[in-house]
Amino acid sequence: MLEIIRPGVQTTVQDLGRHGFRHLGIAQAGALDQPALMLANRLVNNPADAAGLEVVMGPVAIRFHRDGWLALTGADFDARLDDTPLWPGWRVPYLTGQTLHLAGPRLGMRAYLAVDGGIDVPLVLGARATDLRSNFGGFAGRALQAGDLLPQGQAIVHLNRCGAWTRPWSPVIRLLPGPEYHEFDDAVHHAFWQKEWKVSSQSDRMGYRLQGPPLHRSKPHELLSHGVLPGVVQVPPNGQPIVLLADAQTTGGYPRIASVIEADLWKLAQARPGTRLHFVKTTLDDARQAMQQWQFERNRFEWSAYGR
Amino acid sequence: MKSVNTRFYLLGERAAVLESRPPVDLVCQRRIWWLAAALRAQHRFIDIVPGMNNLTVVFDPLRQNSQEVLDQLSTQWQQAKQQQFEPREVRIPVCYGGKAGPDLDNVSSYTGLTPEAVIALHSSVDYTVFFLGFQPGFAYMGGLPDALITPRRAEPRLAVPAGSVGIGGAQTGIYPAQSPGGWQLIGRTSLTLFDPYSTSPSLLLPGDQVRFVPEPDHA
């Protein structure tokens, strides 16, 4: 069992999200920095889609009620296990009664904690992710509070200390042009790719609002409501783009100027309000290559941690 | 063949979209429902999301080639029939006006109808669920009588109570859970629209025929 002593700004139980229910209006939810959660899980020998904790800013304190292994990934939160400093991207053993302290991020804004056996909350519609907007899944359908006791899955027998290389963050985000890209003229395209985009403080797990030059279509017309996904960049009438994230609604009606490629979506999860981003146009082939590179890194880690 | 008016394109790396050009057309929507059901039965896609005269399928790009997905979608669209169902008729009891429907008077003054006439007209026709979106179990319904078309509120409410029945332009719908919202609220139902712990979580599904029934006390 894990005991939440201090939950920080927003700590939630998340896995890789809810899939197969978008036609019922059910959001994906799940970790915003998916590579980080997958890596944390694999470090402690959980399946990649086990549930862990997504921690937003600090300070956070969590007490352990049995012996086991933990891994922290994502932003470096200046962590200590009792008094011992911890490196992010490593798995380390913990003992009953020890407390994990996360002071807060030096860079980025979300950390992921995986414990051996995973957080064993019930599956709701195929996932353990917390749906914060509709209040189901995760732990009681809400962000964690002081005093919450989280059930933990079956422990594993034996591990050695081990670390993994984590990718450095960069403000360069690669995107594919979207279905309505050509409804914007050359000057708008130029602004979209050349200017800086500042992450607004009005950003959350549903979407990141970006501030920059206003983007307007040459001949605006109403679109019929259509399916949208995490990564899609919508342009509402005020011309300020919104990048949809895991908790986004399932359908929308604003023009879709572009989509963030899967391999770069995690960078948004780690971009605090005020961060300046740059957009780079890419191709489907390059997006595929970036995803294969990520798979390669994962496989290499599996080999070093568990291979013989 | 309607395919001249249909385009197929990718949305990011893991979604393919079939889009029929406006205006909204129930014949086209019936073909979309038919195709959505056929694709779901094939178990080849992660998500199949009908929209308004469009359909988005989500796939795993590491296992499926995006061009092949587009081609399959196009081929199957040629073969799509109009969904013929025993229309599922869902009756929704509604308490109209008062605290349950704070915008009934707005709709009344905008449309020039008395509040009683708004209630009588709103509950006199069958609506069709076109698709679910916005929030779990939120059904976008077509079929609103033209006389009831009312623009959304200038300032959306921060918290619309669960069960609220609203009018948004030419659409009507019910908020399954409390949320922000800009539709004109004319009544409220006590039915549960969405239950994530049920085997059939959403009360309403695309294609359903919905009839609103005024609660006797408020008729």
Side-chain angles (χ1 to χ4, degrees), chain A residues 227-240:
Chain A
V228 290
L229 294 168
V232 167
V233 183
Q234 289 185 325
V235 183
N238 69 5
Q240 298 292 278

Side-chain angles (χ1 to χ4, degrees), chain A residues 119-141:
Chain A
I119 307 291
D120 194 23
V121 293
L123 283 169
V124 182
L125 298 172
R128 294 185 170 85
T130 311
D131 188 320
L132 283 176
R133 284 202 307 141
S134 300
N135 300 111
F136 65 85
F139 184 86

Side-chain angles (χ1 to χ4, degrees), chain B residues 113-178:
Chain B
L113 299 168
T114 64
E116 293 72 25
V118 170
I119 296 170
L121 193 52
H122 190 257
S123 57
S124 69
V125 296
D126 284 332
Y127 298 95
T128 304
V129 176
F130 271 70
F131 70 98
L132 303 180
F134 174 58
Q135 61 172 219
F138 188 101
Y140 285 81
M141 291 182 239
L144 188 75
D146 288 348
L148 289 179
I149 294 177
T150 311
R152 291 166 176 82
R153 291 169 57 85
E155 277 289 304
R157 283 190 172 81
L158 291 175
V160 171
S164 293
V165 175
I167 289 175
Q171 308 168 105
T172 189
I174 312 163
Y175 289 85
Q178 179 175 307

Side-chain angles (χ1 to χ4, degrees), chain A residues 19-26 28 124 133-134 179 224-226 229 249-251 256 261-262 284 287-288 291, chain B residues 9-10 13-15 24 40 46-49 51-52 54 62 66 131-137 194 197 205:
Chain A
H19 301 279
F21 298 96
R22 302 185 73 80
H23 62 292
L24 301 180
I26 296 168
Q28 175 182 312
V124 182
R133 284 202 307 141
S134 300
L224 295 175
S225 293
H226 46 244
L229 294 168
Q249 69 280 14
T250 55
T251 56
R256 300 153 288 182
I261 69 169
E262 302 282 323
L284 206 50
R288 192 171 294 133
M291 212 167 355
Chain B
Y9 55 77
L10 296 174
E13 294 142 88
R14 56 190 184 110
V24 174
R40 195 158 287 128
I46 297 170
D47 271 295
I48 296 153
V49 192
M52 209 57 129
N54 57 56
L62 295 172
S66 48
F131 70 98
L132 303 180
F134 174 58
Q135 61 172 219
F194 181 79
Y197 304 100
L205 293 172

Side-chain angles (χ1 to χ4, degrees), chain A:
Chain A
M1 222 154 40
L2 299 183
E3 181 183 352
I4 305 299
I5 310 290
R6 296 183 73 161
V9 170
Q10 186 187 72
T11 296
T12 50
V13 176
Q14 298 294 355
D15 59 11
L16 298 183
R18 210 159 261 116
H19 301 279
F21 298 96
R22 302 185 73 80
H23 62 292
L24 301 180
I26 296 168
Q28 175 182 312
L32 288 196
D33 186 344
Q34 296 217 353
L37 178 65
M38 290 165 97
L39 181 63
N41 272 324
R42 292 308 295 142
L43 276 164
V44 295
N45 206 16
N46 290 342
D49 62 353
L53 297 186
E54 178 179 282
V55 178
V56 182
M57 309 305 277
V60 170
I62 295 165
R63 186 178 296 139
F64 297 102
H65 286 247
R66 70 157 162 81
D67 298 357
W69 290 81
L70 70 85
L72 279 166
T73 54
D76 179 354
F77 264 53
D78 196 7
R80 285 176 297 121
L81 185 60
D82 286 343
D83 293 322
T84 313
L86 299 182
W87 287 100
W90 282 79
R91 68 180 173 219
V92 291
Y94 58 81
L95 301 170
T96 307
Q98 283 193 306
T99 302
L100 175 69
H101 299 271
L102 307 175
R106 302 170 203 258
L107 268 176
M109 64 180 290
R110 288 184 168 84
Y112 293 83
L113 169 67
V115 290
D116 56 331
I119 307 291
D120 194 23
V121 293
L123 283 169
V124 182
L125 298 172
R128 294 185 170 85
T130 311
D131 188 320
L132 283 176
R133 284 202 307 141
S134 300
N135 300 111
F136 65 85
F139 184 86
R142 59 164 170 79
L144 300 177
Q145 298 166 359
D148 286 344
L149 291 169
L150 304 182
Q152 205 176 331
Q154 197 67 43
I156 16 154
V157 194
H158 182 73
L159 289 174
N160 299 314
R161 275 180 192 260
C162 167
W165 183 76
T166 53
R167 281 181 298 172
W169 186 87
S170 91
V172 179
I173 314 282
R174 290 167 288 184
L175 300 98
L176 295 165
E180 280 75 50
Y181 181 75
H182 294 290
E183 296 186 13
F184 296 87
D185 65 22
D186 290 349
V188 172
H189 292 162
H190 184 82
F192 189 69
W193 302 120
Q194 300 302 324
K195 303 288 185 185
E196 271 186 346
W197 292 98
K198 196 171 113 181
V199 177
S200 145
S201 56
Q202 304 270 307
S203 297
D204 58 18
R205 291 184 45 93
M206 275 184 82
Y208 269 32
R209 288 166 191 268
L210 304 177
Q211 293 167 335
L215 310 174
H216 292 295
R217 280 180 295 170
S218 326
K219 292 180 199 137
H221 62 101
E222 285 292 301
L223 300 172
L224 295 175
S225 293
H226 46 244
V228 290
L229 294 168
V232 167
V233 183
Q234 289 185 325
V235 183
N238 69 5
Q240 298 292 278
I242 300 173
V243 186
L244 299 181
L245 296 181
D247 283 3
Q249 69 280 14
T250 55
T251 56
Y254 292 137
R256 300 153 288 182
I257 193 171
S259 277
V260 175
I261 69 169
E262 302 282 323
D264 285 358
L265 208 43
W266 71 278
K267 292 180 183 175
L268 286 159
Q270 299 296 358
R272 294 185 200 183
T275 304
R276 283 159 207 282
L277 304 174
H278 283 278
F279 290 160
V280 175
K281 190 172 166 182
T282 189
T283 64
L284 206 50
D285 279 346
D286 287 346
R288 192 171 294 133
Q289 215 161 37
M291 212 167 355
Q292 277 166 355
Q293 175 68 28
W294 174 32
Q295 269 225 322
F296 171 75
E297 286 164 17
R298 278 167 53 199
N299 291 341
R300 191 168 54 177
F301 164 75
E302 295 276 333
W303 179 255
S304 62
Y306 302 106
R308 286 188 198 274

